[in-house]
Every structure is written in structure tokens, then in C-alpha cells.
Amino acid sequence: MAMPRSLRRTNPITLLLAALLFFGFLIFLFPPSSNAAAISAAKKKLQSAAAHPLSPPSAPFVKSAASSNGQTSPPPVVHYHLNNLTTTVDPIGNQENVLILTPLARFYPGYWDNLLALTYPHSLIALGFIIPKTREGNIATAALQAAITRTQSGPEAKRFASVTILRQDFDPPIQSQDEAERHKIEVQKARRSAMSRARNSLLFTTIGPYTSWVLWLDSDIVETPPTLIQDLAAHDKPVLVPNCFQRFTNDKGEQDTRPYDYNSWQDSDKAAEIAAHMDKDEIIVEGYHDMATFRTLMAMTADKSENRNQKSIISLDGVGGTALLVKAEVHRDGAMFPPFAFYHLMETEGFAKMARRLGWGCWGLPNYFVYHYNE
């Protein structure tokens, strides 16, 4: 059979180029499965990106392109379907965004190193910091910004989705951040009120419509398991706190650990009796000999043995905030950190009371440890 006249006159190179172009077009339409996940992740990242400066800062910002006439497009009207958000026992598999919030007065390199070591995908983590307008705060801000610059310009896998830094718009009640000074009982009400205001400012400014979890992590927490987020989320609790301990050298010159945070507790009749005789603006502070409440402190129930059950869980009435995982819907329901006496409680303990009043349970892991910096 004779070849059609049109094909006889066609250059073979032209046919080869056409075949290659057609093959490339097929690959574009049907990408290999190995690239499908990456493309899907990229699309999801773009969809969750902030498209306007007024969008939530917890989403990575994407500057809108200018149109042909040089003008940018008008601010978008965005619909967020909060019912589609999930908080599950498999947050990585379900691509759940975590907002890590840290009130920061001093910058500890160990805190940042521990943050970088978290195995939760950093592309799903937004960071938020609030820092006081003090001399120490200025030093901490400079050190934090240097660490952020190194990380966000480094390997992409280590970069966080977004970083927000706030400077407090009010003066701190105490200037010194030395451990002995900030833990004096006479400064606790003013200090905890200021801490509540700082936490609320940070939370309300940074939580976004794609936030599934909020992890409160103090700036002096320098050691946690790398799987901290996954481990806590696996319990599927609305409010969950691990036990905060501190490493130190004991009298024998040996390395040891001791309880640090006493704000996670189960209530007692004695505490209720003390509260009943208080003025409405007075608060109960835990961990002081001058105010013995006889509450069950989670810090004192820990099993420090090597073969301990780290998944052991207990119900709590008060929680500490050194490391605290909260389902974002708890905060969206209105649970915040009262800067005033709320049932004679403030800050994280007041938050626990408020969350429970809203119908959310608070829980603790007595045998799962995070570690505070030893000053």
C-alpha cells in the first residue's frame, strides 16, 4: 500500500518532535503516582495560604499578582468551612495544622533546638511568639529573629509554615525574669494576670481558620520527645498536659529529675473551703506552703521508672501551661486565659475551669515528661 503523499513529503525530524511533544503532553495530563502526593500537597498549601495582608497570620502569605493595568486585585471574600476541620488521632495523615504559641521573655537556644527536632511536618506548623517591651525582651527578640532567619532560609523540610512575633502593648508587672523573683507568692496575681493578657493577645491574633490544634509551649521548655505533637494528639483529648520536670544535679553529684510545674491538679475539699472564705477578687495559687490546698498534684504522682506507662492518663481540674495541647475548637468556643479571678483561679488554671464550664474535659499524662530549663 502506497504511503500517503503528505507523509512522504514530511521531514522525519518533524515526526519525531511531534511524537515527543505528544508524549510530554500525556505525562502532563497523567503525572506519575510518585509526584501525585507532592502536587496534592502543593495545591493544599496554596489553598491554605493567606492571599491578603488582612488574612490570618498563621497562614503563609502569598502576594497577589498585579493585573495587566498594574493594579492588584481587590481584597478577597473568603469562605471558611470550619466543619471540615479535623482533630484526630492521626494528625499527620489528615494534614492537620498545628499552631505552637510561646510567650517569650528570654530566648533559650535549647528551646529552639528542641522545636527544630520535632518530627511533626514543619510545613503544618505555624509559630507565634509574644515578647515584652523590655530590655530583656529586646535581647530575646534579636536572638529569636536570628534563629528564625537561619531556619526559614535553610532546608525546606525544616522551615515552618509561618512565624508571627508580637510585642506586648502593656508593661510587665515585674521587670526581672529570674526564677526566684517571678515565683514569689506576693507577685503571683499581678504576674498571672499579665501572663493571661499576653496569652490571649497571642491566641486571638494568630489562630486561623485552618488551625486544628494549639500547642502552648513555654520558652524555657528545652527538652521534649521529638514526637510530642503526635503522642499527645493520639489520646484524642480536648485539653491535655504532660508532666513538666527539671533535670538537676542532686546532693550526691548525680544527674536527677524533679517536678517543676505544680499547676496540673485534681481539686480537693480543702481548696473549695479556702475559696469559700475568699473575697471575689482573691485567687488560690498552687505549690506554696502558705496556701496548703491538699490538692492531688500530677507532678507528685509521676512514675519515674524506666518501664513506666507513658500513656497513663488522669482527669484534671487545673492545668499548667509549660506544654499544653488544646483542640482549637476549645479556644473557638470561648475558653481563654482569665486575667481576673475566675472561680478564684487565673491564667492556665482559670483556663481549665473555663474549658470545663464549657463542657470540655481536661486531662494529664503523669508519666510523660517534658523538661524545663534549669536556671
Side-chain angles (χ1 to χ4, degrees), residues 1-27:
M1 183 177 179
M3 182 179 295
R5 185 174 181 180
S6 60
L7 289 180
R8 288 199 306 269
R9 293 181 179 179
T10 302
N11 192 317
I13 297 178
T14 303
L15 291 175
L16 178 62
L17 290 175
L20 289 174
L21 183 63
F22 178 72
F23 183 68
F25 183 68
L26 288 178
I27 292 178

Side-chain angles (χ1 to χ4, degrees), residues 145-193:
Q145 288 178 325
I148 291 170
T149 299
R150 288 193 301 271
T151 299
Q152 298 299 84
S153 61
E156 189 168 353
K158 289 290 185 180
R159 299 177 190 174
F160 296 100
S162 69
V163 183
T164 303
I165 301 176
L166 305 180
R167 299 303 298 269
Q168 284 180 197
D169 55 354
F170 57 90
D171 294 329
I174 56 174
Q175 294 299 314
S176 174
Q177 286 301 312
D178 290 337
E179 188 171 354
E181 288 296 318
R182 70 176 187 262
H183 286 299
K184 287 181 177 178
I185 191 170
E186 60 267 23
V187 303
Q188 288 311 298
K189 184 176 180 182
R191 175 178 173 269
R192 295 187 185 200
S193 177

Side-chain angles (χ1 to χ4, degrees), residues 12-50:
I13 297 178
T14 303
L15 291 175
L16 178 62
L17 290 175
L20 289 174
L21 183 63
F22 178 72
F23 183 68
F25 183 68
L26 288 178
I27 292 178
F28 175 77
L29 288 179
F30 307 102
S33 58
S34 60
N35 293 333
I39 293 173
S40 176
K43 287 182 178 179
K44 184 168 183 178
K45 184 175 181 180
L46 185 61
Q47 290 170 354
S48 64

Side-chain angles (χ1 to χ4, degrees), residues 39-259:
I39 293 173
S40 176
K43 287 182 178 179
K44 184 168 183 178
K45 184 175 181 180
L46 185 61
Q47 290 170 354
S48 64
H52 188 264
L54 298 182
S55 297
S58 53
F61 177 68
V62 176
K63 188 175 181 179
S64 56
S67 59
S68 57
N69 60 5
Q71 295 183 342
T72 58
S73 56
V77 177
V78 184
H79 295 262
Y80 297 108
H81 300 282
L82 296 181
N83 285 340
N84 293 339
L85 277 180
T86 60
T87 48
T88 65
V89 297
D90 182 17
I92 294 179
N94 292 306
Q95 296 285 287
E96 294 167 1
N97 292 289
V98 179
L99 176 61
I100 300 181
L101 298 181
T102 299
L104 188 145
R106 287 180 177 176
F107 178 80
Y108 294 98
Y111 162 85
W112 191 258
D113 293 341
N114 184 74
L115 204 62
L116 293 178
L118 293 177
T119 58
Y120 200 83
H122 289 193
S123 60
L124 296 174
I125 296 177
L127 304 179
F129 302 91
I130 187 165
I131 307 173
K133 289 283 288 184
T134 61
R135 180 178 177 277
E136 281 190 308
N138 293 339
I139 296 172
T141 301
L144 174 64
Q145 288 178 325
I148 291 170
T149 299
R150 288 193 301 271
T151 299
Q152 298 299 84
S153 61
E156 189 168 353
K158 289 290 185 180
R159 299 177 190 174
F160 296 100
S162 69
V163 183
T164 303
I165 301 176
L166 305 180
R167 299 303 298 269
Q168 284 180 197
D169 55 354
F170 57 90
D171 294 329
I174 56 174
Q175 294 299 314
S176 174
Q177 286 301 312
D178 290 337
E179 188 171 354
E181 288 296 318
R182 70 176 187 262
H183 286 299
K184 287 181 177 178
I185 191 170
E186 60 267 23
V187 303
Q188 288 311 298
K189 184 176 180 182
R191 175 178 173 269
R192 295 187 185 200
S193 177
M195 281 296 300
S196 293
R197 292 175 63 189
R199 288 185 186 274
N200 290 334
S201 294
L202 183 56
L203 172 67
F204 299 152
T205 305
T206 56
I207 191 170
Y210 291 104
T211 305
S212 291
W213 302 89
V214 178
L215 174 64
W216 293 94
L217 193 65
D218 277 1
S219 63
D220 34 24
I221 296 300
V222 294
E223 182 184 346
T224 71
T227 53
L228 174 69
I229 296 173
Q230 302 95 299
D231 294 345
L232 299 186
H235 290 273
D236 195 24
K237 297 299 183 185
V239 179
L240 183 63
V241 58
N243 222 344
C244 181
F245 269 53
Q246 187 179 58
R247 297 191 185 278
F248 76 108
T249 303
N250 62 27
D251 295 336
K252 299 178 181 179
E254 301 170 342
Q255 289 299 304
D256 203 348
T257 62
R258 60 191 173 196

